[in-house]
């Protein structure tokens, strides 16, 4: 199971055109292999292109070079519709700013991804979402409005929302960036454990070494490339 | 195929859920603009419904005068202007009706100063001699007993069909049919048998119908005040009236004959409240437009605040098509809800007991609220919602995900 290939990046590049006409090479050649159930940590200083990489991994954006494969299928140039399909079914996002939907209760936020599912997942969305919130320890805050909850609680809602469709990969972009150290550690532990229990791969992007330390495989992003960190290099 | 249908169904349901949540968040602003939509839909629906009800009532009351196309025929002596005797004109009318293949033809012979007497009371009544086809020509309904038949002319006691007023004034209400009544006056003295009661709207004087043959037979001294009528297809009715006129003249040489179309459609009694209706619909249209514009305004303002939210939804797997549809549904759900309220208001206004009592006074059976008007109101609401929703939906569908969720 854990040897099954999920994501493969080969020489992935992302170049954007700046308003003045110059090209900015954010990513030059990224190679990465993620298998089912992997926990990968990527560290990098601010502005090195971590979010850009995460957007590519989650099919929110397309590479300008190299190839990106999802479970053996080349998805470098798939249509927006197909990308949306894969995102809905296989990807869960956790963002730095939580990105909860304003004006919706905790339960409605966790139910939101199920609105893009069909069949049983859609019709039983309330039950499924409530169970998920219970799993992150918020079973008693179903009808709470996110803006009245603490940062840690909000991020737990976001984690529940990311996992509610049982994705094969969870992408977390600075999940502790807006939290104090203690809360951050707690949230990271929850994210690590919840993804582990659901069998999903977890890719965490962060500028915080301590957060990355939780991951089994670690990389550093610099100069548009991924560099394996000590243990990874040893493997 | 089934999986695709199921996806469409869940997609529709899910878009409605999303739209409803979004509306809940902006409820006050949305509510205000929807008041206009509801009022406009209510006035359009009520106006169209009132128009249809009025039209149906007018039509029904006109049709008791003769259903389209109705041809009236009368004959008189040109020299003194006196009407001719029934004995002379009726056979000519029957010959002509038969020759032109007219199924529904009837004489209308009036007998005045007839007094009807029962054990309880005695009243002056209006008696008319007609053919069995009269009921079809005037849409006469006989809920109690039956209408006159050809074979009634064999009866020793002439068969009589009366109206409710007749029953009431002669104290016959509740008496089982058939029952007898004495008719006297103008050379007539006979005991008639009431075989049916019509539901015609009365106007004070008791009315009774008997076969023309019976009337001619029982009234000594041929009655003269008679007219004749036909119910023919509307198509080509005017030409037919002309031909019948000529044929009647040929049958009655040297006499004056008038045959002409006189149903309400012939003189254009089409839509009794036409002009007022269009004024109200015009004003309602403007209110509707204003409601739609303020809805559009809210949608455009909020869409800017919602770009991030749309990006988040895209990260869950929302396609551009789905985003477009969901944003459009926000307007549609809103206006359809307003439309429903509007239609209910319209029904409440039109079917109000006060309206029925004072505006439609004296009319006992008002037609039901026309479903078509209710559907029209809802369709208008839906169309306005879709129209107001299209622009924000286009903006929403263009949102680039990575820009939307950029931190
Ligand atoms: N669409 C874009 N246009 C211009 N510059 C961009 C664009 N996307 C990213 N950048 C720039 O690329 C660099 C990397 O961005 P990002 O991936 O967000 O970095 P990180 O998440 O590591 O802080 C930043 O300097 C950012 O300003
Ligand atoms: Mg970033």
């Amino acid at each position: 199971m854990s040897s099954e290939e999920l994501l493969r990046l080969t020489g992935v590049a992302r170049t954007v055109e700046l308003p003045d006409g110059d090209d900015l090479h954010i990513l030059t050649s990224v190679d990465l292999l993620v298998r089912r159930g992997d926990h990968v940590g990527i560290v990098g200083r601010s502005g090195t292109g971590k979010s850009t990489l995460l957007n590519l991994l989650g099919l929110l954006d397309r590479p300008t070079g190299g190839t990106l494969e999802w479970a053996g299928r080349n998805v470098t140039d798939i249509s927006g519709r197909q990308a949306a399909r894969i995102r809905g079914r296989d990807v869960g996002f956790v963002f730095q700013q939580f990105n909860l939907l304003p004006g919706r209760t905790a339960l409605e936020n966790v139910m939101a991804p199920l609105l893009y599912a069909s069949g049983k997942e859609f019709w039983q969305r309330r039950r499924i979402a409530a169970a998920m919130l219970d799993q992150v320890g918020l079973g008693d805050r179903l009808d709470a409005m996110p803006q009245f909850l603490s940062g840690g609680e909000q991020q737990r809602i976001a984690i529940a929302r990311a996992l509610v469709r049982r994705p094969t990969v969870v992408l977390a972009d600075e999940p502790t960036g807006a939290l104090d150290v203690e809360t951050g550690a707690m949230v990271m532990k929850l994210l690590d454990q919840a993804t582990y229990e659901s069998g999903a791969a977890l890719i965490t992007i962060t500028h915080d070494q301590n957060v990355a330390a939780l991951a089994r495989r670690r990389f550093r992003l610099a100069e548009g490339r991924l560099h394996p960190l000590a243990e990874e290099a040893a493997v | 195929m089934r999986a695709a249908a199921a996806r469409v169904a869940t997609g529709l349901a899910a878009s409605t859920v999303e739209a409803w949540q979004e509306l809940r968040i902006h409820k006050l602003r949305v509510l205000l603009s929807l008041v206009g939509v509801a009022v406009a839909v209510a006035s359009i629906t009520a106006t169209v419904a009132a128009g249809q009800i009025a039209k149906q009532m007018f039509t029904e009351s006109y049709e008791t005068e003769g259903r389209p196309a109705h041809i009236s025929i009368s004959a008189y002596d040109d020299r003194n202007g006196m009407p001719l005797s029934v004995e002379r004109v009726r056979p000519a009318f029957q010959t002509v009706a038969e020759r032109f293949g007219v199924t529904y033809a009837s004489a209308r012979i009036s007998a005045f100063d007839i007094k009807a007497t029962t054990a309880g009371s005695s009243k002056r009544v209006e008696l008319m001699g007609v053919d069995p086809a009269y009921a079809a020509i005037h849409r006469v309904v006989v809920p109690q007993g039956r209408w006159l038949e050809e074979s009634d002319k064999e009866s020793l006691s002439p068969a009589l069909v009366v109206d409710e007023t007749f029953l009431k004034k002669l104290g016959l209400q509740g008496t089982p049919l058939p029952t007898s009544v004495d008719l006297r006056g103008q050379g007539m003295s006979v005991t008639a048998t009431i075989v049916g009661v019509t539901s015609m709207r009365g106007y004070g004087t008791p009315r009774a119908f008997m076969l023309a043959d019976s009337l001619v037979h029982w009234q000594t001294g041929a009655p003269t005040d008679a007219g004749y009528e036909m119910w023919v297809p509307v198509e080509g009715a005017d030409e037919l009236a002309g031909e019948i006129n000529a044929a009647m003249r040929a049958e009655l040489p040297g006499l004056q004959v008038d045959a002409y179309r006189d149903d309400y459609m012939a003189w254009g009694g089409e839509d009794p409240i036409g002009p007022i209706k269009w004024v109200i619909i015009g004003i309602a249209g403007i209110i509707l437009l204003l409601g739609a514009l303020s809805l559009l305004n809210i949608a455009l303002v909020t869409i800017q605040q919602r770009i991030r939210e749309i990006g988040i939804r895209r990260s869950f797997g929302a396609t551009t098509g789905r985003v477009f549809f969901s944003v459009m549904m926000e307007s549609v759900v809103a206006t359809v809800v307003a439309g429903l309220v509007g239609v209910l208001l319209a029904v409440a206004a039109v079917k109000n007991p006060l309206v029925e009592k004072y505006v439609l006074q004296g009319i006992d059976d008002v037609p039901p609220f026309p479903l078509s008007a209710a559907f029209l109101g809802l369709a208008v609401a839906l169309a306005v919602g879709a129209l107001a929703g299209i622009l924000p939906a286009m903006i929403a569908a263009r949102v680039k995900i990575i820009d939307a969720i950029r931190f």
Side-chain angles (χ1 to χ4, degrees):
Chain A
M1 191 62 181
S2 66
S3 64
E4 220 178 303
E5 178 179 326
L6 200 60
L7 262 169
R8 182 190 284 276
L9 279 70
T10 319
V12 163
R14 182 68 172 100
T15 302
V16 295
E17 196 183 330
L18 295 175
D20 60 14
D22 288 349
D23 279 350
L24 174 67
H25 302 282
I26 306 173
L27 302 175
T28 51
S29 179
V30 173
D31 297 309
L32 178 66
L33 175 63
V34 179
R35 297 177 207 275
R36 258 176 217 279
D38 262 356
H39 280 205
V40 177
I42 297 174
V43 282
R45 288 208 307 278
S46 187
T48 47
K50 300 187 299 296
S51 297
T52 305
L53 176 58
L54 201 92
N55 289 342
L56 292 175
L57 292 172
L59 302 180
L60 295 176
D61 193 12
R62 298 287 187 284
T64 46
T67 55
L68 176 60
E69 285 166 74
W70 254 91
R73 172 183 174 204
N74 188 341
V75 293
T76 316
D77 295 309
I78 55 167
S79 70
R81 210 185 157 71
Q82 284 174 306
R85 195 91 179 260
I86 294 176
R87 274 202 305 276
R89 209 181 42 211
D90 287 323
V91 186
F93 289 94
V94 178
F95 303 99
Q96 175 176 3
Q97 299 300 341
F98 321 135
N99 276 347
L100 296 177
L101 299 174
R104 274 83 164 176
T105 64
L107 185 62
E108 280 167 350
N109 262 284
V110 178
M111 274 160 47
L114 297 170
L115 291 175
Y116 306 98
S118 57
K120 213 167 136 189
E121 262 193 305
F122 172 75
W123 296 110
Q124 304 202 355
R125 60 190 182 281
R126 183 168 289 275
R127 196 183 53 72
I128 296 170
M132 201 65 232
L133 272 169
D134 198 40
Q135 209 177 315
V136 298
L138 291 173
D140 55 343
R141 311 305 292 271
L142 300 187
D143 297 319
M145 283 293 176
Q147 69 264 36
F148 300 123
L149 296 177
S150 72
E153 286 170 321
Q154 292 191 44
Q155 196 61 304
R156 271 147 72 194
I157 296 173
I159 290 170
R161 188 178 66 180
L163 289 170
V164 75
R165 284 192 72 183
R166 308 244 153 245
T168 50
V169 58
V170 174
L171 303 173
D173 189 349
E174 310 255 20
T176 60
L179 304 173
D180 61 73
V181 176
E182 214 166 303
T183 314
M186 207 184 72
V187 163
M188 254 339 275
K189 213 170 136 204
L190 174 74
L191 182 59
D192 196 62
Q193 199 168 343
T195 48
Y196 183 76
E197 280 165 12
S198 76
L202 172 65
I203 301 175
T204 309
I205 285 186
T206 178
H207 64 269
D208 185 342
Q209 292 284 353
N210 295 326
V211 168
L214 269 174
R216 266 129 277 181
R217 300 175 56 208
R218 278 174 286 155
F219 298 87
R220 188 166 58 86
L221 182 64
E223 292 102 35
R225 292 165 177 274
L226 277 183
H227 308 276
L229 284 175
E231 297 96 312
E232 175 72 20
V235 170
Chain B
M1 229 7 240
R2 262 190 58 196
R7 249 202 319 279
V8 169
T10 50
L12 191 72
S15 297
T16 312
V17 171
E18 286 174 326
W20 183 250
Q21 287 181 0
E22 185 57 35
L23 291 172
R24 199 188 64 198
I25 292 165
H26 303 284
K27 47 183 172 262
L28 187 64
R29 282 194 282 182
V30 169
L31 206 67
L32 285 177
S33 58
L34 289 188
V35 169
V37 174
V39 167
V41 168
S43 28
I44 290 176
T45 308
T47 310
V48 171
Q52 282 182 20
I53 290 176
K55 187 172 171 180
Q56 192 178 337
M57 289 188 345
F58 275 68
T59 307
E60 273 171 15
S61 79
Y62 284 137
E63 284 190 344
T64 62
E65 308 285 312
R67 291 156 83 175
H70 183 261
I71 296 174
S72 281
I73 299 143
S74 57
Y76 48 92
D77 194 326
D78 213 6
R79 287 159 302 187
N80 53 16
M82 290 296 285
L84 295 160
S85 76
V86 171
E87 278 147 337
R88 181 115 187 250
V89 184
R90 197 164 167 235
F93 172 70
Q94 283 166 335
T95 310
V96 170
E98 206 163 305
R99 195 185 318 147
F100 283 91
V102 176
T103 323
Y104 300 99
S106 174
R108 285 160 64 156
I109 309 165
S110 298
F112 298 107
D113 284 328
I114 302 288
K115 227 173 185 157
T117 309
T118 59
S121 71
S122 180
K123 281 271 159 356
R124 242 181 58 127
V125 301
E126 200 174 276
L127 177 64
M128 201 188 275
V130 298
D131 290 299
Y134 182 92
I137 298 172
H138 296 272
R139 212 194 265 285
V140 174
V141 184
V142 186
Q144 194 185 341
R146 62 167 176 84
W147 177 247
L148 303 168
E149 287 162 8
E150 200 65 55
S151 58
D152 285 334
K153 68 181 170 202
E154 320 291 346
S155 309
L156 293 174
S157 162
L160 209 61
V161 171
V162 301
D163 68 358
E164 302 264 7
T165 315
F166 190 107
L167 280 192
K168 218 181 289 174
K169 297 226 164 148
L170 283 142
L172 289 171
Q173 272 173 318
T175 315
L177 298 183
T179 183
S180 28
V181 58
D182 286 332
L183 299 175
R184 259 169 254 290
Q186 283 235 334
M188 177 185 266
S189 176
V190 68
T191 300
T193 305
I194 301 175
V195 297
V197 182
T198 74
S199 60
M200 282 176 159
R201 285 189 187 116
Y203 47 83
T205 313
R207 292 166 86 188
F209 299 91
M210 92 171 34
L211 281 184
D213 291 306
S214 309
L215 188 65
V216 170
H217 182 261
W218 290 103
Q219 194 171 27
T220 50
T224 51
D225 190 6
Y228 304 87
E229 60 183 2
M230 293 172 172
W231 177 32
V232 298
V234 174
E235 194 76 23
D238 293 299
E239 295 76 36
L240 187 62
E243 286 166 32
I244 284 171
N245 201 345
M248 285 293 285
R249 275 176 209 209
E251 290 289 325
L252 302 167
L255 297 171
Q256 189 57 39
V257 177
D258 268 350
Y260 52 91
R261 225 187 120 177
D262 64 349
D263 55 88
Y264 70 95
M265 270 167 73
W267 41 268
E270 288 271 338
D271 193 346
I273 62 161
I276 316 162
K277 183 164 126 185
W278 290 115
V279 170
I280 296 177
I281 287 181
I283 294 171
I286 294 169
I287 301 173
L288 203 60
L289 199 71
L290 292 177
L293 277 178
S294 73
L295 206 62
L296 175 66
N297 182 33
I298 294 174
L300 285 180
V301 168
T302 57
I303 205 83
Q304 294 305 326
Q305 306 163 355
R306 287 170 54 205
I307 287 190
R308 187 182 190 82
E309 181 192 322
I310 290 161
I312 298 167
R313 289 192 179 281
R314 296 289 308 277
S315 80
F316 299 157
T319 57
T320 48
R322 178 60 180 278
V323 167
F324 180 92
F325 191 66
S326 290
V327 172
M328 181 140 128
M329 279 301 275
E330 285 166 20
S331 298
V332 173
V333 168
T335 56
V336 167
V337 170
L340 272 172
V341 172
V343 168
L344 290 180
L345 283 177
V347 174
V350 172
K351 296 302 286 181
N352 193 312
L354 288 177
V355 172
E356 296 201 342
K357 189 165 169 205
Y358 294 107
V359 182
L360 307 171
Q361 42 190 287
I363 298 168
D364 6 83
D365 49 345
V366 179
F369 193 89
L371 262 187
S372 59
F375 281 126
L376 177 83
L378 281 184
V380 165
L382 193 109
V384 165
L387 224 60
I390 241 169
L391 201 59
M394 271 164 52
I395 295 172
R398 289 231 184 111
V399 168
K400 286 253 261 322
I401 314 179
I402 52 167
D403 296 334
I405 57 171
R406 194 167 207 93
F407 327 118

